[in-house]
């Protein structure tokens, strides 16, 4: 069966009812589940939308004898095996549970075509709303699913003029990491980064470059590595840079995988370059020295995404989660 035929046979969801009635998902769920605190005029609008669309509670919801809200949220991420994504999934699930909503997960593993397949599949199966960590691909095709409320997390999607997004303060993160190294006397600072087509990586790299310029230090592009997706590759690039005639004395890693790659590369080397990573990770504080990182509240990231889904608005919204630098030793080493 084609995706188009799947869409044509898709049963209306609570999200469709909410859009038709001009109310939030939470309000629809209260009406469907006969909960209090909904005014009579709003109940009438929701019931009219239910009748017009032919909405019926799904099998799973009807099995809930206690009449609990049964929203189903889809969470689509790059790779749940990455600690950042597993922590994000836990945060989204915890926030959704407060509204008695279910969360279904999918990982596209750096394959944009799989990301689209997951969206199509969840859409066809009646998922009420989606939270997506978008790939670097164009997302203009999501306009086909105008009735499906979507919030993007960590990255700004390409090809969509109107989108709700929850982001980290990535520019500031790149800036404070680099400024921290500059304050310790470093002038040759390498950048180990992911694909700068991602808005998050681009902004972290922009913060790195801005900090160097403001300190009067030229940006040496020979010390910049792009497109690193795994620790092994990051370690290889660190080894290569340290073999230069004028090697870097410090590194800034734009993700936790790159930071782990730096650790692996330095295990058996005599050099002790300083380094700061973006994203905290398990055991970062037990190494000697501990890993200095740019940290943020993942729970707040996930909760903000769920809140945007449940609080309907016709105006695109942008939530920015603050970051902070946590000094543990690796970023404080001298040149």
């Amino acid at each position: 069966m084609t995706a188009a035929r799947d869409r044509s046979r898709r049963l209306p969801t609570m999200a469709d009812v909410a859009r038709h009635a001009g109310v939030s998902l939470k309000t629809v769920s209260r009406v469907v589940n006969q909960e209090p605190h909904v005014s009579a005029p709003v109940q009438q609008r929701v019931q009219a939308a239910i009748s017009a669309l032919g909405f019926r509670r799904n099998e799973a919801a009807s099995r809930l004898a206690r009449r609990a809200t049964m929203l189903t949220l889809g969470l689509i991420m790059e790779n749940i095996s990455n600690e950042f994504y597993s922590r994000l999934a836990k945060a989204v699930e915890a926030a959704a549970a407060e509204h008695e909503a279910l969360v279904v997960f999918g990982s596209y593993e750096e394959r944009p075509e799989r990301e689209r397949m997951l969206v199509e599949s969840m859409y066809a199966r009646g998922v009420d709303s989606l939270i997506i960590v978008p790939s670097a691909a164009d997302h203009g095709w999501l306009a086909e699913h105008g009735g499906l409320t979507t919030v993007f997390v960590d990255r700004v999607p390409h090809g969509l003029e109107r989108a709700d997004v929850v982001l980290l303060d990535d520019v500031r993160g790149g800036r404070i990491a680099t400024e921290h190294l500059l304050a310790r006397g470093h002038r040759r600072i390498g950048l180990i980064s992911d694909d700068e087509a991602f808005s998050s990586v681009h902004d972290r790299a922009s913060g790195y470059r801005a900090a160097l310029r403001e300190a009067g230090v030229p940006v040496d592009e020979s010390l910049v590595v792009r497109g690193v997706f795994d620790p092994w590759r990051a370690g290889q690039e660190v080894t290569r840079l340290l073999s230069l005639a004028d090697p870097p004395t410090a590194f800034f890693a734009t993700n936790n995988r790159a930071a782990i790659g730096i650790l692996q590369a330095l295990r058996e080397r005599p050099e002790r370059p300083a380094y700061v990573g973006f994203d905290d990770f398990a055991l970062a504080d037990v190494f000697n020295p501990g890993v200095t990182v740019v940290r943020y509240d993942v729970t707040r990231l996930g909760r903000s995404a769920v809140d945007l889904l449940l609080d309907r608005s016709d105006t695109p919204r942008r939530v920015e989660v603050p970051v902070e630098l946590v000094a543990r030793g690796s970023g404080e080493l001298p040149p």
Side-chain angles (χ1 to χ4, degrees):
M1 182 181 291
T2 66
R5 290 175 63 191
D6 273 349
R7 288 195 297 273
S8 68
R9 297 183 182 184
R10 186 178 72 88
L11 295 176
T13 68
M14 285 189 183
D16 297 324
V17 174
R19 185 166 181 260
H20 193 278
V23 299
S24 69
L25 279 172
K26 192 172 182 179
T27 298
V28 174
S29 70
R30 282 176 174 167
V31 173
V32 169
N33 292 290
Q34 300 177 13
E35 295 178 7
H37 311 304
V38 181
S39 68
V42 171
Q43 287 190 47
Q44 292 172 3
R45 281 164 53 198
V46 172
Q47 291 293 354
I50 288 172
S51 298
L53 297 175
F55 169 80
R56 290 187 179 183
R57 295 180 67 183
N58 60 33
E59 290 285 336
S62 66
R63 287 198 297 269
L64 292 181
R66 57 192 176 92
R67 294 180 175 177
T69 301
M70 188 61 178
L71 297 177
T72 304
L73 312 181
L75 175 58
I76 297 176
M77 304 168 290
E78 186 176 282
N79 191 335
I80 200 168
S81 65
N82 183 307
E83 185 175 345
F84 165 73
Y85 294 111
S86 61
R87 290 165 63 202
L88 176 64
K90 182 178 180 180
V92 168
E93 192 168 41
E98 294 178 7
H99 301 279
E100 300 186 71
L102 297 180
V103 181
V104 293
F105 306 95
S107 296
Y108 54 85
E109 299 175 347
E110 300 169 11
R111 291 183 290 167
E113 70 280 2
R114 177 169 170 79
E115 177 192 17
R116 181 164 184 168
M117 180 273 289
L118 287 168
V119 172
E120 298 281 2
S121 178
M122 290 185 183
Y123 184 82
R125 285 163 174 75
V127 167
D128 293 293
S129 305
L130 284 177
I131 297 173
I132 302 177
V133 180
S135 68
D138 187 286
H139 287 77
W141 53 271
L142 272 169
E144 300 172 16
H145 307 300
L148 188 61
T149 305
T150 303
V151 172
F152 297 91
V153 176
D154 189 47
R155 304 164 181 167
V156 177
H158 296 291
L160 288 177
E161 294 182 3
R162 298 169 58 85
D164 286 342
V165 294
V166 181
L167 306 171
L168 300 172
D169 191 349
D170 291 304
V171 173
R172 182 173 185 273
R175 183 188 295 272
I176 62 176
T178 309
E179 288 175 345
H180 190 76
L181 294 169
L182 288 165
R184 271 72 191 168
H186 296 280
R187 293 297 181 267
R188 300 280 291 169
I189 302 174
L191 175 69
I192 310 297
S193 77
D194 206 328
D195 186 349
E196 289 194 31
F198 297 133
S199 64
S200 57
V201 180
H202 174 272
D203 288 350
R204 293 169 197 177
S206 295
Y208 157 85
R209 292 184 172 90
L212 290 176
R213 287 194 300 268
E214 290 171 11
V217 177
V219 178
D220 186 346
E221 292 295 337
S222 71
L223 302 183
V224 175
V225 174
R226 300 177 180 85
V228 171
F229 293 96
D230 61 78
W232 178 81
R233 172 76 190 285
Q236 280 194 321
E237 292 297 331
V238 168
T239 298
R240 180 183 65 80
L241 291 176
L242 290 175
S243 300
L244 295 174
D246 188 9
T249 62
F251 293 95
F252 168 48
T254 63
N255 57 56
N256 56 9
R257 293 164 295 183
I260 292 170
I262 293 173
L263 280 166
Q264 293 175 341
L266 298 181
R267 278 182 306 183
E268 299 178 2
R269 295 188 66 92
E271 301 97 329
R272 300 292 287 177
Y275 54 96
V276 177
F278 198 111
D279 299 327
D280 209 352
F281 59 94
L283 306 181
D285 58 345
V286 304
F287 290 95
N288 186 20
V291 181
T292 298
V293 298
V294 175
R295 185 173 65 184
Y296 46 88
D297 187 348
V298 179
T299 298
R300 183 171 174 178
L301 197 68
R303 183 178 298 279
S304 296
V306 173
D307 287 347
L308 287 185
L309 284 181
L310 297 178
D311 181 20
R312 183 183 179 277
S313 173
D314 292 328
T315 303
R317 294 159 295 176
R318 177 185 177 117
V319 175
E320 197 167 78
V321 174
V323 299
E324 62 177 346
L325 189 134
V326 180
R328 296 194 178 114
S330 71
E332 293 69 60
L333 296 171

